[in-house]
Amino acid sequence: PDLEKTLQWYRTHGYMLVAGPSTELNLLQVRELDNRLFCPKTKGWYAKKQQVLAKDDKVVAGEWLAIRKDEVPNSTLKTWKKQQDLITDVEYVPNASEVSYAVTAYFKVRGIYLLRGKHVRTSSVDAHSNHVGVGNFDEGGLRVCDHWDIGRSDLGVSSARKLTLNT
């Protein structure tokens, strides 16, 4: 595919393009990169032993991340199942580690808080089988929240695409 057209597609569809880490990182390791960008800065619900998502869901090393800067359009006020209908065949729902890494990296480079005042569902699942939300990023830090499948109708869904840059 034409690289310029691919990059233009990302721009017009509201995606950020972020270079992945040099080593594979789980959610706790993403937070350790700069814990000042997270709330809470240490411990928290997802650091507990039963929350395997914080250790098992990872950002892959050496790959580009193309993640939507906002929720998928028209994905709020929908159940997880209905949100899946909005994900195209070239997209996937990223995990909490990928979204957290991309959003905090974007902030470090551009100084812009993405997902301010809102959360997006990720593919990560907590110990109670609920999809984890990431967002409400502001001066207080990025929040990673549990129990989003119960009673959260205002939650959008995140989407991502893999990109291989051939130079």
Side-chain angles (χ1 to χ4, degrees):
D2 182 299
L3 180 59
E4 189 174 334
K5 283 182 183 178
T6 301
L7 294 174
Q8 188 59 38
W9 187 94
Y10 284 110
R11 171 175 267 195
T12 59
H13 288 85
Y15 279 77
M16 64 179 123
L17 185 59
V18 178
S22 59
T23 60
E24 186 176 80
L25 299 174
N26 65 35
L27 181 57
L28 297 173
Q29 293 166 324
V30 169
R31 182 173 69 180
E32 287 172 14
L33 292 174
D34 189 347
N35 70 344
R36 296 171 300 166
L37 298 177
F38 284 80
C39 179
K41 316 239 175 280
T42 61
K43 300 186 183 182
W45 71 270
Y46 57 89
K48 294 178 181 171
K49 185 177 181 179
Q50 71 269 27
Q51 299 297 343
V52 296
L53 74 103
K55 296 168 214 68
D56 291 353
D57 290 355
K58 301 198 165 104
V59 182
V60 177
E63 289 188 4
W64 288 92
L65 289 170
I67 296 183
R68 196 179 289 269
K69 295 181 202 177
D70 211 343
E71 75 272 0
V72 171
N74 303 312
S75 67
T76 57
L77 304 174
K78 290 184 173 39
T79 63
W80 170 254
K81 186 174 182 342
K82 294 279 187 193
Q83 288 174 337
Q84 298 313 290
D85 295 338
L86 301 172
I87 304 297
T88 68
D89 60 349
V90 296
E91 296 173 299
Y92 68 96
V93 178
N95 67 46
S97 301
E98 292 170 318
V99 175
S100 297
Y101 178 84
V103 167
T104 55
Y106 192 88
F107 174 78
K108 291 200 67 122
V109 171
R110 300 205 173 230
I112 296 171
Y113 293 105
L114 298 175
L115 304 175
R116 185 185 281 266
K118 62 178 79 176
H119 286 83
V120 291
R121 272 191 185 114
T122 68
S123 63
S124 294
V125 177
D126 69 15
H128 303 289
S129 300
N130 294 304
H131 288 90
V132 173
V134 173
N136 201 23
F137 191 27
D138 60 20
E139 295 80 3
L142 180 68
R143 281 86 170 171
V144 179
C145 301
D146 60 345
H147 300 294
W148 288 110
D149 286 356
I150 301 170
R152 288 298 300 196
S153 60
D154 63 340
L155 190 66
V157 68
S158 184
S159 70
R161 284 185 67 175
K162 286 193 176 181
L163 175 66
T164 304
L165 292 178
N166 298 319
T167 55

